[in-house]
Amino acid sequence: MVTGAAGFLGSHLCDALLAEGHSVIAVDNLLTGNLRNLAHLKRETRFSFLEQDICSPFDPGTTDYIFDFASPASPVDYMEHGIETLQVGSIGVFNLLELARKHRATFFLASTSECYGDPLEHPQKETYWGHVNPVGPRSVYDESKRFAEAATTAYRRYHKLDVRIVRIFNTYGPRLQMNDGRVISNFMKQALRGEDLTVYGDGSQTRSFCYVSDEVEGILRLAWSKAQEPTNIGNPGEFTILECAKEVLAVTKSKSGIQYLPLPQDDPKQRRPDITKARTLLGWEPKIDLRQGLELSLDYFRTEVESEPSVTHHVAG
Ligand code: NAD
Ligand code: UDP
């Protein structure tokens, strides 16, 4: 079972699981996802889709592995759906943990680098406890994921449930939701339309971007390993947001300029995964750098931009 299957990562995970020969029950309430991401699987006999909010109890039948990717994921989305975000990481995760117990399934939690908050340790190792504002605008997401990690770990500790926890760092690629305000989708859209790229603050904050095929490969290696504790999966190549804007302009061959907008509250100043654990435990490391990944995503963004009205979503500064 894959929850959040109609979203960006969930849909790629469904593809990868089917390619490995598994059968997949896809679950999603379509809050931020889109059935278009699964349209190519319509005739696949090993695939079924259930429209379902994971915050309501449900049981689609026997399953041996639950991948939980259901949650608003971008700052624009989780700030718009703050209560739903807190619920999906608590009530939703409890429902799935109970389902995993009932079916003796393994439970895999899609967690996030946001657990580290605005990190004071750099790069971030799994042992770092983080620096999170519990009542700031990002807390609906950060604390929901931190709670989800605690709940998952408690089911392992108290019920001996087999669990995996991946801390995903900024991932991008085809099927990234066009209207969720993430930096790569905003910049690609703006560059392809010849609009100014909106850089928040002075653009000196950093992120480390992982291409989707690398991320899914890491997720599957973790899934089939025995690692019960949180594991970072991300690309350690670190860029300032201004450097990222320049990469996008180069790949799109765009003449767009830069427009500076206010930096949103609590926006992390730096982020880079320490992937020593994934390298040693899973033999995994990313292969695709930012330039290549943007080139691989170009056709997708171009097609989306041609079929979409010109609206760009922003986090309030
Ligand atoms: P996305 O918004 O594209 O996908 C999330 C999916 O979850 C959507 O299809 C949405 O409709 C679904 N969903 C939300 N609430 C639900 C509910 N209550 N019941 C059922 N379905 C629900 O986002 P994404 O980037 O694919 O993220 C997937 C997962 O990976 C999320 O848990 C996110 O926190 C995590 N993650 C993603 C990134 C990234 O860079 N993409 C980074 C860190 C963590
Ligand atoms: N950002 C930006 N312009 C945009 C969207 C985002 O400068 O149009 C910045 C944002 O302030 C953050 C970084 O890009 O520092 C990554 O933002 P995103 O929303 O993609 O993800 P985050 O890592 O903050 O969850």
Side-chain angles (χ1 to χ4, degrees):
M1 184 190 309
V2 176
T3 74
F8 164 56
L9 281 176
S11 64
H12 282 285
L13 180 61
C14 290
D15 289 344
L17 289 168
L18 289 165
E20 284 194 357
H22 305 283
S23 297
V24 175
I25 305 168
V27 177
D28 204 299
N29 69 348
L30 305 179
L31 180 67
T32 60
N34 196 314
L35 280 179
R36 275 194 314 164
N37 292 332
L38 299 173
H40 60 290
L41 300 176
K42 225 171 149 173
R43 285 193 186 78
E44 171 57 67
T45 51
R46 287 177 290 118
F47 179 80
S48 58
F49 177 76
L50 176 66
E51 187 169 337
Q52 170 73 44
D53 184 340
I54 66 160
C55 294
S56 305
F58 70 107
D59 186 352
T62 308
T63 173
D64 57 1
Y65 213 111
I66 299 177
F67 289 89
D68 180 21
F69 280 67
S71 173
S74 77
V76 164
D77 280 346
Y78 62 68
M79 287 184 205
E80 183 181 348
H81 304 289
I83 305 291
E84 290 90 337
T85 303
L86 282 163
Q87 286 173 335
V88 78
S90 50
I91 301 165
V93 165
F94 268 124
N95 281 338
L96 296 181
L97 286 165
E98 280 301 319
L99 210 52
R101 256 185 98 193
K102 179 173 168 189
H103 292 293
R104 298 177 196 284
T106 301
F107 179 75
F108 185 109
L109 175 69
S111 186
T112 168
S113 53
E114 279 285 320
C115 287
Y116 302 120
D118 187 5
L120 303 178
E121 178 179 303
H122 194 71
Q124 293 80 51
K125 281 198 211 62
E126 290 87 348
T127 46
Y128 179 49
W129 290 356
H131 179 231
V132 172
N133 176 354
V135 292
R138 298 175 85 102
S139 65
V140 289
Y141 183 65
D142 300 10
E143 298 295 13
S144 177
K145 289 290 184 181
R146 287 163 67 98
F147 181 86
E149 287 200 7
T152 301
T153 306
Y155 269 65
R156 167 164 74 90
R157 196 168 283 140
Y158 295 104
H159 294 308
K160 311 276 175 274
L161 193 72
D162 189 33
V163 304
R164 309 284 182 274
I165 300 175
V166 63
R167 291 193 183 139
I168 301 168
F169 284 65
N170 298 63
T171 302
Y172 68 99
R175 300 189 204 148
L176 195 62
Q177 316 283 354
M178 289 298 280
N179 58 358
D180 68 8
R182 283 189 257 212
V183 68
I184 299 285
S185 40
N186 275 5
F187 284 180
M188 289 295 272
K189 236 169 26 174
Q190 291 162 333
L192 290 169
R193 289 195 188 119
E195 298 167 1
D196 285 352
L197 274 55
T198 50
V199 168
Y200 302 163
D202 62 5
S204 63
Q205 70 273 32
T206 69
R207 293 294 185 275
S208 303
F209 299 100
C210 191
Y211 187 65
V212 63
S213 59
D214 281 335
E215 187 66 44
V216 170
E217 164 80 24
I219 283 168
L220 286 185
R221 286 204 192 194
L222 177 62
W224 312 140
S225 79
K226 294 271 173 244
Q228 304 269 317
E229 282 167 7
T231 305
N232 291 339
I233 298 285
N235 191 320
E238 184 180 3
F239 293 80
T240 67
I241 293 306
L242 210 48
E243 287 168 341
C244 171
K246 287 178 184 151
E247 288 294 301
V248 168
L249 291 176
V251 167
T252 53
K253 300 186 175 58
S254 168
K255 298 209 172 2
S256 293
I258 304 276
Q259 180 192 4
Y260 290 91
L261 294 179
L263 187 68
Q265 188 192 330
D266 296 344
D267 197 295
K269 283 179 272 311
Q270 52 182 359
R271 183 180 291 159
R272 171 154 61 102
D274 181 319
I275 59 163
T276 310
K277 189 170 175 184
R279 273 201 182 104
T280 46
L281 221 68
L282 313 175
W284 174 86
E285 62 182 1
K287 300 185 192 80
I288 297 172
D289 66 20
L290 182 57
R291 178 67 67 97
Q292 289 170 303
L294 291 174
E295 274 159 5
L296 290 169
S297 314
L298 192 54
D299 280 351
Y300 164 75
F301 284 109
R302 203 169 260 140
T303 310
E304 290 297 300
V305 161
E306 279 161 13
S307 64
E308 207 206 30
S310 173
V311 188
T312 303
H313 297 261
H314 297 290
V315 180

